[in-house]
Amino acid sequence: MTKTETNPYFVELRNAASAAARAQGAEFMALAGQFDGDNDGQVRAIENMVQQGVTTILITPNSSTGVLAAIERARQAGVMVIALDTATEPASAVDATYATDNVAAGRQQGAYVKAALGPAAPKVIMIDGTAGSTVDTYRHNGFLEGIGLKDGDPAIVGRDNANGDQSIAQQKMENLLQRTTDINAVYTMNEPTARGAYAALQARGLRILMGSIDGGCQGVQNVRDGLYAATVMQFPRKMAEEGVTAAVRYARTGQKPSGFIDTGSVVITDRPMPGVPSQDTTWGLQNCWGTK
Protein backbone atom coordinates (compact mmCIF):
# COMPACT_ATOMS: atom_id res chain seq x y z
CA MET A 1 0.00 0.00 0.00
CA THR A 2 1.69 3.18 -1.21
CA LYS A 3 1.04 6.85 -0.54
CA THR A 4 -0.01 7.50 -4.16
CA GLU A 5 -0.15 5.67 -7.48
CA THR A 6 1.60 8.41 -9.47
CA ASN A 7 4.84 9.42 -7.74
CA PRO A 8 7.61 7.52 -9.62
CA TYR A 9 9.21 6.48 -6.34
CA PHE A 10 6.08 4.71 -5.15
CA VAL A 11 5.50 3.24 -8.61
CA GLU A 12 8.98 1.68 -8.32
CA LEU A 13 8.22 0.42 -4.82
CA ARG A 14 4.97 -1.20 -5.97
CA ASN A 15 6.45 -2.71 -9.13
CA ALA A 16 9.42 -4.16 -7.25
CA ALA A 17 7.10 -5.70 -4.64
CA SER A 18 4.88 -7.16 -7.36
CA ALA A 19 7.87 -8.73 -9.14
CA ALA A 20 9.25 -10.14 -5.89
CA ALA A 21 5.87 -11.63 -5.02
CA ARG A 22 5.60 -13.32 -8.42
CA ALA A 23 9.12 -14.71 -8.08
CA GLN A 24 8.29 -16.20 -4.67
CA GLY A 25 4.85 -17.55 -5.54
CA ALA A 26 2.89 -15.10 -3.41
CA GLU A 27 -0.48 -13.52 -4.23
CA PHE A 28 -0.16 -9.76 -4.52
CA MET A 29 -2.52 -6.78 -4.54
CA ALA A 30 -1.76 -3.05 -4.55
CA LEU A 31 -3.80 -0.12 -3.25
CA ALA A 32 -2.84 3.51 -2.65
CA GLY A 33 -4.02 6.83 -1.32
CA GLN A 34 -5.40 9.26 -3.89
CA PHE A 35 -2.73 11.85 -3.02
CA ASP A 36 0.26 12.29 -0.72
CA GLY A 37 -1.37 12.82 2.68
CA ASP A 38 -4.58 10.86 1.97
CA ASN A 39 -4.79 9.14 5.35
CA ASP A 40 -8.49 8.27 5.12
CA GLY A 41 -7.93 6.50 1.81
CA GLN A 42 -5.23 4.33 3.36
CA VAL A 43 -7.41 3.48 6.36
CA ARG A 44 -10.11 2.24 3.98
CA ALA A 45 -7.50 0.29 2.02
CA ILE A 46 -6.23 -1.44 5.17
CA GLU A 47 -9.77 -2.46 6.08
CA ASN A 48 -10.30 -3.72 2.52
CA MET A 49 -7.13 -5.84 2.66
CA VAL A 50 -8.02 -7.37 6.02
CA GLN A 51 -11.50 -8.30 4.73
CA GLN A 52 -9.84 -10.04 1.76
CA GLY A 53 -7.77 -12.20 4.10
CA VAL A 54 -4.23 -11.00 3.44
CA THR A 55 -1.48 -12.36 5.66
CA THR A 56 0.80 -9.30 5.43
CA ILE A 57 0.36 -5.61 4.63
CA LEU A 58 3.36 -3.60 3.41
CA ILE A 59 2.54 0.10 3.83
CA THR A 60 4.12 3.48 3.23
CA PRO A 61 1.86 5.44 5.61
CA ASN A 62 0.61 8.84 4.45
CA SER A 63 0.33 9.84 8.09
CA SER A 64 2.73 8.34 10.59
CA THR A 65 0.02 8.49 13.28
CA GLY A 66 -3.29 8.62 11.41
CA VAL A 67 -3.30 4.95 10.35
CA LEU A 68 -2.35 3.52 13.75
CA ALA A 69 -5.84 2.41 14.80
CA ALA A 70 -6.41 0.63 11.47
CA ILE A 71 -2.99 -1.04 11.70
CA GLU A 72 -3.71 -2.20 15.24
CA ARG A 73 -7.01 -3.77 14.12
CA ALA A 74 -5.18 -5.54 11.30
CA ARG A 75 -2.52 -6.91 13.64
CA GLN A 76 -5.19 -8.08 16.10
CA ALA A 77 -6.71 -10.02 13.18
CA GLY A 78 -3.38 -11.83 12.70
CA VAL A 79 -2.06 -9.72 9.82
CA MET A 80 1.64 -8.83 9.94
CA VAL A 81 2.19 -5.16 9.10
CA ILE A 82 5.51 -3.87 7.76
CA ALA A 83 6.25 -0.22 7.05
CA LEU A 84 8.23 0.48 3.89
CA ASP A 85 10.05 3.81 3.37
CA THR A 86 8.06 5.74 6.01
CA ALA A 87 8.10 4.89 9.70
CA THR A 88 5.06 5.03 11.94
CA GLU A 89 5.03 6.91 15.25
CA PRO A 90 5.66 5.01 17.38
CA ALA A 91 7.74 2.60 15.32
CA SER A 92 6.38 -0.26 17.44
CA ALA A 93 2.95 0.23 15.82
CA VAL A 94 4.17 -2.11 13.04
CA ASP A 95 6.06 -5.37 13.24
CA ALA A 96 9.10 -4.00 11.37
CA THR A 97 10.24 -1.13 9.12
CA TYR A 98 12.36 -1.43 5.97
CA ALA A 99 13.47 2.06 4.99
CA THR A 100 16.16 4.58 4.33
CA ASP A 101 17.59 6.11 7.48
CA ASN A 102 16.05 9.44 6.55
CA VAL A 103 17.90 11.39 9.24
CA ALA A 104 21.15 10.08 7.77
CA ALA A 105 20.01 10.91 4.21
CA GLY A 106 19.11 14.46 5.23
CA ARG A 107 22.42 14.75 7.08
CA GLN A 108 24.26 13.68 3.91
CA GLN A 109 22.50 16.36 1.87
CA GLY A 110 23.23 18.99 4.51
CA ALA A 111 26.89 18.01 4.81
CA TYR A 112 27.29 18.19 1.05
CA VAL A 113 25.68 21.65 0.82
CA LYS A 114 27.80 22.91 3.71
CA ALA A 115 31.00 21.66 2.05
CA ALA A 116 30.00 23.08 -1.33
CA LEU A 117 29.27 26.52 0.18
CA GLY A 118 32.79 26.60 1.58
CA PRO A 119 33.38 29.69 3.73
CA ALA A 120 30.13 31.38 2.68
CA ALA A 121 27.51 31.72 5.41
CA PRO A 122 24.37 29.75 4.41
CA LYS A 123 21.22 31.56 3.31
CA VAL A 124 18.81 28.68 2.82
CA ILE A 125 15.32 28.09 1.50
CA MET A 126 13.79 24.77 2.58
CA ILE A 127 11.11 23.10 0.48
CA ASP A 128 9.75 20.42 2.79
CA GLY A 129 7.36 17.53 2.16
CA THR A 130 4.13 16.64 3.96
CA ALA A 131 3.78 18.11 7.44
CA GLY A 132 3.58 15.38 10.08
CA SER A 133 5.26 12.71 7.95
CA THR A 134 8.24 11.04 9.59
CA VAL A 135 10.10 11.13 6.25
CA ASP A 136 9.63 14.89 6.05
CA THR A 137 10.58 15.46 9.68
CA TYR A 138 13.63 13.17 9.64
CA ARG A 139 15.05 14.53 6.39
CA HIS A 140 14.46 18.12 7.48
CA ASN A 141 16.14 17.58 10.84
CA GLY A 142 18.99 15.61 9.28
CA PHE A 143 19.68 18.36 6.76
CA LEU A 144 19.86 20.98 9.49
CA GLU A 145 22.22 18.77 11.47
CA GLY A 146 24.42 18.24 8.41
CA ILE A 147 24.63 21.91 7.49
CA GLY A 148 25.00 22.98 11.12
CA LEU A 149 21.77 24.95 11.68
CA LYS A 150 18.72 24.72 13.92
CA ASP A 151 15.07 25.46 13.22
CA GLY A 152 14.44 29.17 13.66
CA ASP A 153 17.98 30.13 12.66
CA PRO A 154 17.93 33.39 10.62
CA ALA A 155 20.07 31.58 8.02
CA ILE A 156 16.83 29.81 7.03
CA VAL A 157 15.35 32.67 5.01
CA GLY A 158 12.25 30.79 3.87
CA ARG A 159 10.49 27.44 4.06
CA ASP A 160 7.24 25.84 2.95
CA ASN A 161 5.68 22.41 2.41
CA ALA A 162 5.12 21.02 -1.10
CA ASN A 163 3.86 17.48 -0.33
CA GLY A 164 6.56 16.01 -2.56
CA ASP A 165 4.81 17.43 -5.64
CA GLN A 166 6.70 19.15 -8.47
CA SER A 167 4.05 21.69 -9.45
CA ILE A 168 3.30 22.63 -5.83
CA ALA A 169 7.03 23.01 -5.17
CA GLN A 170 7.37 25.37 -8.11
CA GLN A 171 4.49 27.50 -6.83
CA LYS A 172 5.82 27.57 -3.28
CA MET A 173 9.34 28.45 -4.48
CA GLU A 174 7.97 31.25 -6.64
CA ASN A 175 6.15 32.65 -3.62
CA LEU A 176 9.26 32.47 -1.44
CA LEU A 177 11.40 34.16 -4.10
CA GLN A 178 8.97 37.09 -4.17
CA ARG A 179 10.05 37.78 -0.58
CA THR A 180 13.79 37.46 -1.18
CA THR A 181 16.30 36.23 -3.75
CA ASP A 182 19.22 36.71 -1.35
CA ILE A 183 19.87 32.98 -1.00
CA ASN A 184 22.76 30.66 -1.78
CA ALA A 185 21.32 27.21 -1.04
CA VAL A 186 18.07 25.25 -1.35
CA TYR A 187 17.05 22.12 0.53
CA THR A 188 14.50 19.86 -1.19
CA MET A 189 13.02 16.77 0.42
CA ASN A 190 12.74 14.80 -2.84
CA GLU A 191 13.53 15.06 -6.55
CA PRO A 192 10.10 16.11 -7.85
CA THR A 193 10.35 18.97 -5.33
CA ALA A 194 13.84 19.80 -6.62
CA ARG A 195 12.62 19.94 -10.22
CA GLY A 196 9.83 22.29 -9.22
CA ALA A 197 12.20 24.51 -7.25
CA TYR A 198 14.65 24.54 -10.17
CA ALA A 199 11.91 25.71 -12.58
CA ALA A 200 11.10 28.63 -10.28
CA LEU A 201 14.78 29.55 -9.90
CA GLN A 202 15.41 29.27 -13.64
CA ALA A 203 12.48 31.59 -14.40
CA ARG A 204 14.29 34.26 -12.39
CA GLY A 205 17.69 33.51 -13.89
CA LEU A 206 19.05 32.23 -10.57
CA ARG A 207 21.71 29.50 -10.28
CA ILE A 208 21.58 28.35 -6.66
CA LEU A 209 23.27 25.41 -4.94
CA MET A 210 20.62 22.76 -4.38
CA GLY A 211 20.57 19.21 -3.06
CA SER A 212 17.86 16.57 -2.96
CA ILE A 213 17.04 12.99 -1.95
CA ASP A 214 15.68 10.03 -3.96
CA GLY A 215 18.15 8.61 -6.48
CA GLY A 216 15.62 7.99 -9.24
CA CYS A 217 17.11 7.71 -12.72
CA GLN A 218 15.52 11.02 -13.72
CA GLY A 219 16.99 12.65 -10.62
CA VAL A 220 20.47 11.30 -11.31
CA GLN A 221 20.19 12.61 -14.88
CA ASN A 222 19.10 15.98 -13.41
CA VAL A 223 22.34 16.03 -11.41
CA ARG A 224 24.36 15.17 -14.50
CA ASP A 225 22.58 17.95 -16.43
CA GLY A 226 23.26 20.49 -13.67
CA LEU A 227 19.73 21.14 -12.38
CA TYR A 228 21.00 20.48 -8.86
CA ALA A 229 24.41 19.66 -7.46
CA ALA A 230 23.72 16.40 -5.65
CA THR A 231 21.06 13.91 -4.69
CA VAL A 232 21.07 11.23 -2.02
CA MET A 233 20.14 7.87 -3.55
CA GLN A 234 17.90 5.49 -1.67
CA PHE A 235 16.96 1.96 -2.67
CA PRO A 236 13.19 1.33 -2.83
CA ARG A 237 13.64 -1.91 -4.75
CA LYS A 238 15.60 -3.33 -1.82
CA MET A 239 12.91 -2.21 0.64
CA ALA A 240 10.17 -3.88 -1.39
CA GLU A 241 12.08 -7.10 -2.05
CA GLU A 242 13.08 -7.56 1.58
CA GLY A 243 9.56 -6.73 2.73
CA VAL A 244 8.02 -9.32 0.40
CA THR A 245 10.57 -11.94 1.46
CA ALA A 246 9.60 -11.31 5.09
CA ALA A 247 5.90 -11.58 4.17
CA VAL A 248 6.42 -14.92 2.45
CA ARG A 249 8.47 -16.23 5.38
CA TYR A 250 5.71 -15.21 7.81
CA ALA A 251 3.02 -16.95 5.75
CA ARG A 252 5.05 -20.15 5.61
CA THR A 253 6.67 -20.28 9.05
CA GLY A 254 5.06 -17.66 11.27
CA GLN A 255 8.45 -15.98 11.72
CA LYS A 256 8.35 -12.16 11.89
CA PRO A 257 11.08 -9.55 11.47
CA SER A 258 11.34 -6.77 14.04
CA GLY A 259 12.74 -3.29 14.44
CA PHE A 260 14.21 -0.91 11.86
CA ILE A 261 16.14 -2.29 8.89
CA ASP A 262 18.19 0.43 7.12
CA THR A 263 18.32 -0.14 3.35
CA GLY A 264 21.09 2.45 2.80
CA SER A 265 21.74 5.79 1.06
CA VAL A 266 24.53 7.22 -1.13
CA VAL A 267 25.35 10.79 -2.23
CA ILE A 268 25.38 11.13 -6.04
CA THR A 269 27.26 14.08 -7.55
CA ASP A 270 29.75 14.99 -10.25
CA ARG A 271 31.17 17.66 -7.94
CA PRO A 272 32.58 15.63 -5.04
CA MET A 273 33.40 17.45 -1.82
CA PRO A 274 36.14 16.63 0.71
CA GLY A 275 34.78 14.75 3.69
CA VAL A 276 31.52 13.77 1.97
CA PRO A 277 31.63 10.20 0.57
CA SER A 278 29.90 10.06 -2.82
CA GLN A 279 29.54 8.33 -6.17
CA ASP A 280 29.36 10.01 -9.58
CA THR A 281 26.38 10.03 -11.94
CA THR A 282 27.81 7.18 -14.03
CA TRP A 283 27.56 4.93 -10.95
CA GLY A 284 24.24 6.55 -10.15
CA LEU A 285 22.72 5.72 -13.54
CA GLN A 286 23.88 2.12 -13.14
CA ASN A 287 22.20 1.80 -9.74
CA CYS A 288 19.22 4.16 -9.91
CA TRP A 289 15.57 3.17 -9.77
CA GLY A 290 12.81 3.99 -12.23
CA THR A 291 12.88 4.59 -15.98
CA LYS A 292 16.30 5.32 -17.49
Side-chain angles (χ1 to χ4, degrees), residues 11-22:
V11 171
E12 176 73 12
L13 199 69
R14 181 191 66 211
N15 290 346
S18 177
R22 284 196 306 273

Side-chain angles (χ1 to χ4, degrees), residues 2-13:
T2 52
K3 294 182 182 183
T4 73
E5 292 182 328
T6 56
N7 184 309
Y9 180 85
F10 298 118
V11 171
E12 176 73 12
L13 199 69

Side-chain angles (χ1 to χ4, degrees), residues 36 126-131 136 160-173 189-190 192-193:
D36 198 325
M126 301 188 71
I127 306 296
D128 289 311
T130 301
D136 176 62
D160 210 335
N161 293 90
N163 295 344
D165 182 272
Q166 181 171 334
S167 60
I168 296 174
Q170 182 173 349
Q171 295 167 7
K172 295 297 181 70
M173 191 70 181
M189 74 81 59
N190 70 359
T193 300

Side-chain angles (χ1 to χ4, degrees), residues 26-66:
E27 293 185 37
F28 179 81
M29 64 183 293
L31 297 173
Q34 293 183 358
F35 53 87
D36 198 325
D38 180 17
N39 182 73
D40 291 343
Q42 285 198 323
V43 168
R44 290 192 295 272
I46 291 170
E47 293 169 348
N48 184 335
M49 287 182 171
V50 173
Q51 289 172 1
Q52 295 195 49
V54 302
T55 53
T56 293
I57 293 173
L58 308 175
I59 180 171
T60 55
N62 264 314
S63 168
S64 298
T65 57

Side-chain angles (χ1 to χ4, degrees), residues 6-198:
T6 56
N7 184 309
Y9 180 85
F10 298 118
V11 171
E12 176 73 12
L13 199 69
R14 181 191 66 211
N15 290 346
S18 177
R22 284 196 306 273
Q24 298 185 57
E27 293 185 37
F28 179 81
M29 64 183 293
L31 297 173
Q34 293 183 358
F35 53 87
D36 198 325
D38 180 17
N39 182 73
D40 291 343
Q42 285 198 323
V43 168
R44 290 192 295 272
I46 291 170
E47 293 169 348
N48 184 335
M49 287 182 171
V50 173
Q51 289 172 1
Q52 295 195 49
V54 302
T55 53
T56 293
I57 293 173
L58 308 175
I59 180 171
T60 55
N62 264 314
S63 168
S64 298
T65 57
V67 292
L68 297 188
I71 288 174
E72 176 61 21
R73 289 192 294 271
R75 294 178 74 188
Q76 288 176 351
V79 178
M80 181 172 72
V81 182
I82 292 176
L84 300 181
D85 176 73
T86 303
T88 54
E89 288 187 343
S92 59
V94 293
D95 291 284
T97 301
Y98 291 83
T100 305
D101 181 338
N102 282 296
V103 174
R107 190 185 302 121
Q108 287 169 292
Q109 186 187 156
Y112 179 87
V113 170
K114 181 178 181 178
L117 285 174
K123 300 175 183 178
V124 185
I125 280 179
M126 301 188 71
I127 306 296
D128 289 311
T130 301
S133 162
T134 53
V135 172
D136 176 62
T137 300
Y138 293 168
R139 291 182 184 180
H140 176 100
N141 292 346
F143 175 83
L144 292 181
E145 183 180 334
I147 200 172
L149 300 174
K150 295 184 181 299
D151 273 320
D153 193 300
I156 305 169
V157 298
R159 60 175 293 193
D160 210 335
N161 293 90
N163 295 344
D165 182 272
Q166 181 171 334
S167 60
I168 296 174
Q170 182 173 349
Q171 295 167 7
K172 295 297 181 70
M173 191 70 181
E174 288 169 351
N175 293 341
L176 290 167
L177 290 173
Q178 289 176 4
R179 303 175 195 172
T180 181
T181 57
D182 185 20
I183 61 173
N184 58 12
V186 176
Y187 159 83
T188 60
M189 74 81 59
N190 70 359
E191 289 165 356
T193 300
R195 287 188 283 273
Y198 173 80

